[in-house]
Amino acid sequence: MLRPRIPVNPLPTGIIAPLVQPAATIETESHRDITPAPCNHDHTPAPVAPPRPTVQLTPGSAVALAAGGGAVVLVVGAVLVSMLLAVAITGVSVALIAVVLRLLIRDMQKGR
């Protein structure tokens, strides 16, 4: 599925590491008569876990799931609309305050 990528070094160091090659094996008469030591553990495979059961939707649970999803959409929508409304009201009030301050400053400059 996903293949690992080998990173490319943008600044090579110049150090070359030689490849490790297996040492040559030398067979002599003394190596042929050596028998491996017996091991003291069990070689039976590990038990396999039973497969997990799949979730099955009944018509009642499907309706409940759809109703829950619809409720979540409605709540999130109401929150977003209320936040947008709060931003719009804040923007209008700031613009109104700017207009009133501009009129007051203009009146002060005229000397009234």
Side-chain angles (χ1 to χ4, degrees):
M1 187 183 338
L2 297 175
R3 294 183 180 166
R5 297 179 62 194
I6 299 172
V8 178
N9 188 3
L11 301 172
T13 59
I15 299 172
I16 300 173
L19 295 176
V20 177
Q21 304 223 350
T25 57
I26 301 171
E27 296 222 7
T28 61
E29 292 293 325
S30 62
H31 289 290
R32 289 189 186 147
D33 56 337
I34 296 176
T35 58
C39 57
N40 297 327
H41 58 273
D42 191 15
H43 286 277
T44 57
V48 178
R52 299 176 74 188
T54 58
V55 177
Q56 299 202 358
L57 289 176
T58 62
S61 63
V63 169
L65 185 64
V72 167
V73 167
L74 288 177
V75 168
V76 169
V79 168
L80 291 177
V81 167
S82 64
M83 289 173 64
L84 180 64
L85 185 61
V87 169
I89 290 172
T90 303
V92 168
S93 64
V94 167
L96 186 63
I97 289 171
V99 169
V100 170
L101 284 176
R102 184 176 174 191
L103 289 174
L104 286 174
I105 291 173
R106 186 180 297 166
D107 284 346
M108 284 175 51
Q109 286 177 349
K110 286 184 180 178
R112 290 185 185 178

